[in-house]
Amino acid sequence: MHQLNASIEAVVCSGVFVPMSKCARMLVLFLGMFLVINSQINFISSQEFFDLDDKNNQKMSTSSRSTPVITDFSISSPQLGDGISPSTRAWFSVDETESLLFEWSATDDNIDFASLSNAPGDTPSPDVSPFNYEWEITGGLDEGIFNPILTVQDLDSNVATSTLYIGVDRTGPTVGSPSLSYDNDGVFTTISSNDWISTNEINVSNLNVGVTDNGGVGADSYEYQILPNGNGWQSISSSGSSTISVSSGELTLQFRAVDLLGNKGLSVNFSFNVDNLNPNFHGWEIPEITTSTVQNIEISFMTSDVDSGIDSTNTIIEYGFDLDGSGDSPDDGNGWTTLATTTDESDKFSAIISGIIWELKENQYVILRATITDNAGNQKVTDPMFVTILPGIDISWDLTQLDRLIIRTGSGQVFTLSSTIISNEPFMDPFDATLQIAPADRDSTVEWTTISTETIPLGSMTDLEHGIDWTFSLTSGGQWDVRVLVDSGDQIDERDEGNNDRYLIVSGADGDQVVGIVSGFTPSLFSLMIVGLLISGIINRKHKN
């Protein structure tokens, strides 16, 4: 052993080749391999150490990143304000069950989550990757003011926050106590509840005195309406003062406050009475009058006076005849005729026009007016009412029926349109009827094409109807509109000119378009009888067996 060690030492230290035994050489080989392996292990360990150190350095670098930067924190569609500060608080008048949408965005390399707190409704779950960048809160939206907070945190626990200022207010404010006065012959006099006054307008004030919105957005304006015959709610400015026109009657003025979100508070009533207007006229009830009318005509109108009532003995109806339907009085030379009137408990006044040959009054007008007097002496003369004396005749289509809905163009096939004209009464005059077609896909510049015009001869309508069969074809394929017009030349004065046309749709097929089209699957009557006899024979044979 000592000799071997001396040989190895000699080889290693002096660098001089010394003959060694086989065992010594193997030992040197193993020793060299060990040194090589050991150096590789040391290299790998050193590399891992450097990698770990680099990761530690990166982690230390990451930990030193700045906090997230919130670039947006907002609430969608506020009705008032933007929510950036308490002075610009974002207000909403949403229902408790509706929704609020919060939106956010931030910049950071490794955002972990975002959360929303102090918002109305239930607290939503944090927004985590992949981020929605919004929360929609539905339900539980109590009234009040809120300061929602957005918290954004990154993976290194760096935190950024932002605050919004919002409010929910759906309750209207409470209006102040109104003060009413009016000009009584130059002296402004305070109106007490249930007073009777004579004026066309009143002054209102003090609506803003004592008004409160109970912690809401604040009062903005005021409204009033007049009952029972007012025209709905009308606006009053934020000053709480206004001049209001009034009419005769037992009136109730209602006042309410409106906040900046449009929420309307409960109304406050103030009742008083006014009587300085003429009686009210509620319109005529007039039957249709035509040249065919033979009976007497009853006409009537409704009136009312909410205070003193109607004086029926001094309320009259007058009539006359007018040639052009304009002016203030009849122009046929006979002037006004006063009719005897009757009335009922509802203040409906009626009168009878009798002894008129209406057939001689075609194209004239009945002109009516009423003079209405109340028990206080107030009188109203209505504007003239013109009633057209209509023609008695009315013609229209009773039947328009096609024998088919589609033909092959160019094949010689035609449509047959069977039609029947009817009249509400017999007459002798001739008139025209016209058949027209036009492409169904036309625009407004395409005119109807007249296919045929038939003249219905003199006396044809004495039996109240007349039939026409039309035949026509198509020059090209596609869908076509078909129109038939009665009295197309306007020869007849009618009671209703709006029922003189009738429309249908037909189709034409070109060339290959008709492939597969069968003329009809309806079996003939004879074939149905044959099939019926065969089935009957089979059934009878079974019964015999």
Side-chain angles (χ1 to χ4, degrees):
M1 179 63 69
H2 293 293
Q3 291 176 353
L4 178 60
N5 290 340
S7 298
I8 293 172
E9 183 179 358
V11 171
V12 172
C13 295
S14 66
V16 179
F17 176 75
V18 180
M20 292 182 290
S21 66
K22 182 178 179 180
C23 292
R25 288 197 301 271
M26 290 182 65
L27 182 59
V28 171
L29 178 62
F30 287 141
L31 180 60
M33 291 176 63
F34 173 75
L35 293 173
V36 171
I37 292 172
N38 186 58
S39 67
Q40 292 295 323
I41 292 174
N42 289 336
F43 175 78
I44 293 172
S45 299
S46 299
Q47 185 66 38
E48 290 179 349
F49 174 78
F50 288 132
D51 290 344
L52 180 60
D53 186 59
D54 183 61
K55 290 182 179 179
N56 289 333
N57 290 337
Q58 290 181 9
K59 185 173 182 180
M60 292 176 64
S61 174
T62 301
S63 298
S64 64
R65 289 175 181 167
S66 61
T67 60
V69 176
I70 296 175
T71 57
D72 177 51
F73 180 38
S74 59
I75 187 168
S76 179
S77 304
Q79 294 172 252
L80 181 69
D82 54 20
I84 295 177
S85 66
S87 62
T88 61
R89 187 176 298 274
W91 284 96
F92 298 84
S93 62
V94 293
D95 188 77
E96 183 181 1
T97 60
E98 294 186 45
S99 301
L100 294 178
L101 180 65
F102 292 86
E103 298 175 308
W104 71 277
S105 64
T107 58
D108 193 271
D109 291 338
N110 58 346
I111 294 177
D112 186 13
F113 68 88
S115 63
L116 177 66
S117 59
N118 293 349
D122 295 333
T123 300
S125 300
D127 193 0
V128 297
S129 180
F131 299 106
N132 293 321
Y133 296 102
E134 65 179 32
W135 292 277
E136 184 173 14
I137 299 177
T138 301
L141 303 181
D142 296 332
E143 291 187 273
I145 58 175
F146 304 87
N147 301 328
I149 299 175
L150 168 67
T151 301
V152 180
Q153 180 171 316
D154 63 17
L155 293 171
D156 305 313
S157 298
N158 296 315
V159 175
T161 62
S162 181
T163 302
L164 276 178
Y165 302 91
I166 69 171
V168 178
D169 181 10
R170 50 181 172 266
T171 301
T174 301
V175 71
S177 299
S179 175
L180 275 64
S181 63
Y182 74 104
D183 184 356
N184 184 11
D185 294 329
V187 178
F188 281 93
T189 304
T190 300
I191 304 173
S192 299
S193 179
N194 295 318
D195 277 354
W196 281 94
I197 60 174
S198 178
T199 184
N200 291 320
E201 61 182 25
I202 62 169
N203 300 309
V204 179
S205 60
N206 289 349
L207 294 177
N208 59 342
V209 177
V211 64
T212 177
D213 199 23
N214 302 309
V217 67
D220 177 48
S221 61
Y222 305 89
E223 294 181 338
Y224 76 92
Q225 70 171 347
I226 305 175
L227 300 178
N229 296 317
N231 293 322
W233 289 98
Q234 309 295 318
S235 296
I236 297 177
S237 69
S238 58
S239 66
S241 301
S242 182
T243 299
I244 299 175
S245 299
V246 294
S247 58
S248 298
E250 298 177 1
L251 305 180
T252 298
L253 272 176
Q254 290 188 321
F255 301 95
R256 66 186 181 188
V258 183
D259 67 19
L260 290 165
L261 295 176
N263 297 312
K264 299 171 174 58
L266 297 176
S267 60
V268 172
N269 296 345
F270 195 105
S271 298
F272 61 99
N273 308 294
V274 178
D275 182 19
N276 59 355
L277 291 179
N278 294 331
N280 298 304
F281 174 70
H282 301 300
W284 294 95
E285 293 182 8
I286 305 169
E288 182 181 75
I289 304 174
T290 73
T291 55
S292 302
T293 300
V294 294
Q295 69 272 21
N296 295 333
I297 301 298
E298 181 179 2
I299 56 176
S300 61
F301 68 88
M302 295 291 296
T303 184
S304 66
D305 188 274
V306 296
D307 182 25
S308 59
I310 301 297
D311 180 3
S312 60
T313 58
N314 290 303
T315 297
I316 61 174
I317 297 175
E318 298 172 287
Y319 83 97
F321 291 98
D322 196 84
L323 303 178
D324 59 6
S326 63
D328 297 327
S329 59
D331 61 6
D332 71 339
N334 295 320
W336 292 104
T337 299
T338 301
L339 297 172
T341 59
T342 59
T343 187
D344 59 18
E345 294 179 355
S346 64
D347 286 336
K348 178 180 179 180
F349 287 79
S350 303
I352 300 294
I353 300 177
S354 60
I356 306 299
I357 303 175
W358 298 105
E359 186 178 3
L360 304 178
K361 300 294 184 180
E362 183 174 358
N363 296 322
Q364 294 188 29
Y365 300 84
V366 176
I367 180 173
L368 302 170
R369 74 177 180 186
T371 301
I372 308 168
T373 307
D374 68 13
N375 290 318
N378 300 310
Q379 191 174 81
K380 178 180 181 63
V381 179
T382 65
D383 294 331
M385 175 69 178
F386 294 92
V387 181
T388 304
I389 302 173
L390 299 170
I393 298 172
D394 187 35
I395 52 179
S396 60
W397 295 101
D398 180 43
L399 171 70
T400 51
Q401 182 175 345
L402 286 161
D403 66 332
R404 65 189 69 194
L405 297 178
I406 185 171
I407 65 169
R408 179 175 180 176
T409 59
S411 66
Q413 292 180 325
V414 297
F415 295 101
T416 298
L417 172 59
S418 300
S419 59
T420 303
I421 302 171
I422 59 174
S423 172
N424 65 329
E425 61 183 60
F427 65 95
M428 296 293 296
D429 298 338
F431 58 93
D432 292 337
T434 300
L435 170 68
Q436 296 177 328
I437 65 171
D441 59 352
R442 67 190 180 279
D443 57 28
S444 59
T445 63
V446 178
E447 300 289 340
W448 287 90
T449 300
T450 298
I451 300 299
S452 177
T453 297
E454 299 288 336
T455 298
I456 288 71
L458 180 71
S460 297
M461 299 305 295
T462 55
D463 58 354
L464 304 181
E465 68 177 39
H466 181 77
I468 304 175
D469 288 333
W470 317 77
T471 59
F472 64 97
S473 184
L474 299 177
T475 59
S476 61
Q479 283 194 330
W480 292 76
D481 289 335
V482 179
R483 178 172 71 173
V484 285
L485 301 170
V486 64
D487 191 27
S488 54
D490 291 330
Q491 295 101 324
I492 306 299
D493 287 333
E494 297 182 67
R495 182 173 61 184
D496 182 4
E497 298 284 356
N499 59 358
N500 288 0
D501 49 12
R502 186 73 63 86
Y503 294 85
L504 305 97
I505 297 178
V506 297
S507 299
D510 291 329
D512 294 338
Q513 290 180 333
V514 297
V515 174
I517 297 177
V518 181
S519 58
F521 290 99
T522 304
S524 66
L525 180 61
F526 178 73
S527 62
L528 288 173
M529 292 176 62
I530 295 297
V531 173
L533 290 173
L534 290 174
I535 294 174
S536 176
I538 293 171
I539 293 174
N540 290 333
R541 183 177 299 175
K542 288 183 178 180
H543 285 305
K544 289 179 181 180
N545 293 336

